[in-house]
Amino acid sequence: MEKPLSGVEAVKLGSRYLRGTLSEELANDEPLFTAPATGVLKFHGIYQQDDRDLRKSGVKQYSAMVRVGVPGGVLTPEQYLTLDRLAELGDGSLRITTRQDIQYHYVPKARLRELIQTLHGCYLGTLAACGDVVRNVISCPAPFANDERKELQPFVSYLSKNLKPKTTAYYEIWIDGEKAVSGEQNEQPQEVEPLYGATYLPRKFKIGFTFPGDNTTDIYANDIGIVPHYEDGVLTGFNILAGGGMGQSAGVKSSHPRLADPLCFVGPTCEELLEIASAIISIHRDFGNRSNRKLARLKYVMEDWGVAKFKQELELRVGRQLADAVPLHWTRSNDYLGWRRQTLDSHGDPVWFYGVRVISGRIRDFSPQQRIRTGLRAVVERYGLEVRLTCQQNMYLCGIREQDRPGVASLLREHGIAEPLELPPVLRHAIACPALPTCALAITESERIMPDLVGEIQSALNQLGLQDQIIHFRTSGCPNGCSRPYTAEIGIVGASVNMYTIYLGASRLGTRLGEVFAQNVKREQLLPKLQPVFEYYKRSRQAGEYFGDFCHRIGIQALQDVSMYAAA
Ligand code: SRM
Ligand code: SF4
């Protein structure tokens, strides 16, 4: 017997291509949207949230999280300055996400249309930043100009544009409000979604690009991963991976993080890429689980079928045989922080980019000594710099002329923006999801505890003489894994009130998942649990061995034994 469809499927179908009751609800004075409207709102990049700190005191204060799509993380100076200005409509902060977007928190319902119209004025938008569609297409944003790293952005933009929902609902509701409130939206619209159909995808869908060898975007965590292949500096095609994802759900046993599999190799044009991506998306559309949203991602189709059957179905859909993927080799996964030479100008002088470490992606004026938002605005405005957002929540300030280097450096310093290499190594590369107080799904803290927790870990490493060791650390406030903790060398994941699961043994290069090392660990017990493993690492690592590789070589059981022995 067919399983019943999940409730969200009915909401999508009834929404008339993402219209729902949004226009009517925007026109009323209620501070919040109705529950059915919030389901549709997500496709427009907006989540209704209530402050969970206030909730504890019995108050429910509603506002919106708004996610702005930034394909490949690339922003003109004007776009960045507009984004910066718009932070005033929320809580005064912008947050770089792990998929190169910008999020605002605490935006009142009454200011949403103004926000989206302003974004629209500078060619930015929120459509499909959330929802059961292709999300922001990510890419390695480091702007090195050389033959081995030919610009991927045209491919990113092409896929991004062509895979957006085709409904005109977004424009009617947010941009051309007159038309929406005039009642025209009540007629059944004629347009259809050629790729998505009326119920869109069973679940979110993520596409990521990166350069060969450089896994800064965590390519294996995406539904589709795309890696260009160059021969003698010439782009000859793309390796396609499929079936990755991090999310797992407490209590749903068969849900789990999964790395994407190499699937095939396709030619080097935008059209070929779009054809293959659309065909893979159509497999998700037709075979993804529409009854249980916890098992609805493409990764479960891949797992059920295996790569051979998946490829066969794909070949059927594109009507030809597909070449096998070329083996991939990874050598790095860290963001490019600090000063990097981008290219040479027409006089042969160097042009630089500067990787700013933005802790948890949070761009805010934290204190008179630490005015991160003001400092970044000042530097972008004064020097007219292109901005690129990274999947590790950092920012590259690009196109800095040789003669402007001292000015940029001193402006950043004046505003308390730390030189990345001066930061402790673990903090330099740590990632945290927002969790409390904004995220409705958070079980524990994440962003708010990350600096202290990382500080404790760093002190322990320092005492062992491991002060220069970079260890990738990521924390998420629930098993959904928005900070991609399962590909971090230490992953800390919220499990129940003030209790965390510790994952160890992932590869620093994002090619191997971590395993559960300890469960139900209280916040204050996290370091004591890890301390014996650090000591063991200090004693027994091989020359140059990364922490994640060490944990994997030794094995989780042996690490647990060491930890238990130390506690006894
Ligand atoms: Fe995420 C849901 C924040 C990247 C897996 N994610 C959420 C929501 C919207 C909570 C909700 O549904 O009510 C969070 C909003 C919190 C807030 O207050 O802002 C949220 N996710 C984030 C961001 C902002 C975390 C960050 O620190 O930057 C990232 C926004 C990315 C973007 O710009 O699009 C973010 N989320 C991710 C990633 C990482 C990635 O894509 O590289 C993952 C793991 C990869 C994956 O998708 O498998 C991720 N988020 C999830 C899931 C689990 C999905 C699943 O397959 O089970 C959820 C829950 C859901 O979809 O039901 C979720
Ligand atoms: Fe929220 Fe969980 Fe994602 Fe953190 S990992 S932002 S707590 S959904």
Side-chain angles (χ1 to χ4, degrees):
M1 205 177 68
E2 289 254 314
K3 291 204 177 117
L5 297 178
S6 80
V8 178
E9 292 301 314
V11 171
K12 288 186 272 185
L13 187 63
S15 78
R16 295 166 298 115
Y17 297 103
L18 310 185
R19 287 173 175 81
T21 51
L22 294 186
S23 292
E24 291 87 332
E25 297 198 25
L26 277 168
N28 71 32
D29 292 333
E30 295 296 324
L32 71 162
F33 292 92
T34 61
T38 58
V40 182
L41 201 56
K42 290 179 185 174
F43 287 79
H44 296 253
I46 300 166
Y47 272 72
Q48 182 156 281
Q49 298 182 324
D50 75 288
D51 184 315
R52 294 181 57 185
D53 284 347
L54 288 178
R55 206 193 284 177
K56 280 189 215 135
S57 54
V59 181
K60 275 208 163 191
Q61 198 174 82
Y62 289 97
S63 59
M65 177 276 270
V66 181
R67 189 179 289 164
V68 185
V70 186
V74 177
L75 292 166
T76 63
E78 295 73 26
Q79 286 176 323
Y80 181 76
L81 294 172
T82 305
L83 285 168
D84 171 83
R85 239 185 356 265
L86 284 171
E88 290 307 310
L89 298 185
D91 66 352
S93 80
L94 308 88
R95 193 172 185 283
I96 306 171
T97 74
T98 50
R99 292 194 73 78
Q100 298 177 301
D101 288 327
I102 287 289
Q103 275 189 193
Y104 298 107
H105 288 104
Y106 297 99
V107 181
K109 176 176 169 249
R111 308 297 297 272
L112 286 173
R113 199 177 255 140
E114 173 188 353
L115 191 150
I116 292 180
Q117 289 187 349
T118 311
L119 289 171
H120 190 65
C122 68
Y123 307 102
L124 289 170
T126 63
L127 175 66
C130 314
D132 296 345
V133 282
V134 172
R135 302 290 188 88
N136 193 46
V137 179
I138 58 169
S139 180
C140 175
F144 296 110
N146 61 40
D147 278 354
E148 281 68 46
R149 296 176 66 101
K150 289 260 166 62
E151 214 21 303
L152 281 177
Q153 196 58 22
F155 295 97
V156 174
S157 304
Y158 187 82
L159 281 200
S160 179
K161 182 163 168 253
N162 283 286
L163 295 173
K164 280 264 186 277
K166 300 281 180 272
T167 175
T168 54
Y170 182 81
Y171 303 93
E172 290 167 21
I173 293 166
W174 303 104
I175 313 300
D176 188 6
E178 294 290 305
K179 192 170 165 196
V181 289
S182 72
E184 279 177 53
Q185 85 283 10
N186 292 329
E187 293 159 24
Q188 182 65 28
Q190 291 305 303
E191 98 277 336
V192 283
E193 295 278 8
L195 176 59
Y196 293 121
T199 47
Y200 294 82
L201 298 179
R203 210 59 165 87
K204 56 178 76 166
F205 195 98
K206 299 185 171 178
I207 301 182
F209 285 78
T210 200
F211 288 104
D214 186 351
N215 198 14
T216 54
T217 61
D218 241 327
I219 201 80
Y220 294 91
N222 287 269
D223 294 273
I224 298 180
I226 304 175
V227 189
H229 185 75
Y230 301 98
E231 278 170 29
D232 300 326
V234 176
L235 177 69
T236 56
F238 291 95
N239 268 302
I240 306 291
L241 299 90
M246 294 280 103
Q248 57 182 334
S249 308
V252 182
K253 246 187 151 185
S254 41
S255 72
H256 56 84
R258 183 177 195 281
L259 297 181
D261 292 298
L263 180 62
C264 61
F265 186 86
V266 298
T269 64
C270 282
E271 291 74 17
E272 281 165 287
L273 259 192
L274 180 62
E275 178 199 33
I276 214 78
S278 304
I280 296 174
I281 293 164
S282 76
I283 293 179
H284 184 222
R285 179 195 65 206
D286 299 343
F287 294 98
N289 187 330
R290 287 189 188 257
S291 302
N292 185 349
R293 289 181 62 78
K294 313 255 184 237
L295 299 172
R297 295 291 293 274
L298 181 77
K299 64 185 176 182
Y300 299 111
V301 178
M302 179 64 96
E303 189 143 287
D304 257 19
W305 288 3
V307 173
K309 180 173 169 189
F310 196 101
K311 193 170 173 216
Q312 218 173 20
E313 177 66 31
L314 187 59
E315 288 174 338
L316 211 65
R317 288 179 183 231
V318 296
R320 63 190 151 85
Q321 285 212 318
L322 295 164
D324 286 339
V326 173
L328 296 169
H329 302 286
W330 303 102
T331 51
R332 62 167 295 137
S333 62
N334 289 341
D335 267 355
Y336 297 87
L337 298 176
W339 288 103
R340 309 278 169 161
R341 206 170 82 166
Q342 180 174 334
T343 188
L344 295 177
D345 68 14
S346 52
H347 307 290
D349 292 329
V351 175
W352 300 87
F353 77 93
Y354 183 80
V356 181
R357 170 67 179 134
V358 186
I359 292 168
S360 299
R362 193 67 77 172
I363 301 174
R364 184 202 289 280
D365 286 346
F366 289 95
S367 66
Q369 294 73 35
Q370 237 203 339
R371 290 182 301 141
I372 311 287
R373 188 178 147 209
T374 304
L376 292 173
R377 177 174 61 240
V379 93
V380 172
E381 202 162 32
R382 183 173 307 172
Y383 297 99
L385 304 179
E386 181 184 85
V387 167
R388 294 188 172 208
L389 312 174
T390 82
C391 293
Q392 294 169 31
Q393 303 171 320
N394 296 312
M395 178 191 283
Y396 298 151
L397 298 167
C398 306
I400 303 169
R401 297 178 307 166
E402 175 73 5
Q403 62 267 38
D404 293 336
R405 255 184 87 167
V408 169
S410 75
L411 205 47
L412 293 175
R413 214 175 21 250
E414 269 167 39
H415 289 86
I417 298 173
E419 162 66 42
L421 290 179
E422 286 167 6
L423 290 170
V426 182
L427 184 61
R428 208 183 300 152
H429 298 285
I431 304 181
C433 76
L436 296 170
T438 55
C439 179
L441 305 180
I443 301 172
T444 60
E445 296 285 349
S446 176
E447 182 179 333
R448 293 196 293 199
I449 60 159
M450 190 270 272
D452 284 350
L453 184 51
V454 162
E456 289 169 22
I457 288 173
Q458 189 68 60
S459 302
L461 294 173
N462 294 354
Q463 277 168 20
L464 290 167
L466 296 171
Q467 60 280 356
D468 298 325
Q469 195 67 39
I470 293 173
I471 296 181
H472 283 188
F473 173 95
R474 298 179 185 168
T475 169
S476 277
C478 82
N480 285 320
C482 298
S483 62
R484 299 187 293 268
Y486 312 116
T487 48
E489 293 175 290
I490 303 176
I492 305 285
V493 176
S496 60
V497 181
N498 196 34
M499 296 280 205
Y500 299 81
T501 307
I502 304 177
Y503 289 78
L504 295 179
S507 147
R508 156 118 30 127
L509 298 170
T511 51
R512 184 181 61 238
L513 294 171
E515 293 174 66
V516 174
F517 161 69
Q519 284 176 299
N520 295 322
V521 184
K522 286 196 173 129
R523 158 69 187 90
E524 47 289 4
Q525 286 304 313
L526 288 169
L527 179 64
K529 266 276 171 209
L530 287 166
Q531 176 81 34
V533 182
F534 294 148
E535 288 165 10
Y536 193 8
Y537 176 56
K538 162 79 180 172
R539 280 196 311 273
S540 308
R541 70 191 163 143
Q542 293 171 349
E545 191 174 31
Y546 291 145
F547 182 67
D549 293 341
F550 166 80
C551 291
H552 180 67
R553 176 170 63 81
I554 297 298
I556 287 293
Q557 183 62 56
L559 297 179
Q560 286 166 340
D561 292 348
V562 165
S563 182
M564 225 138 76
Y565 182 72

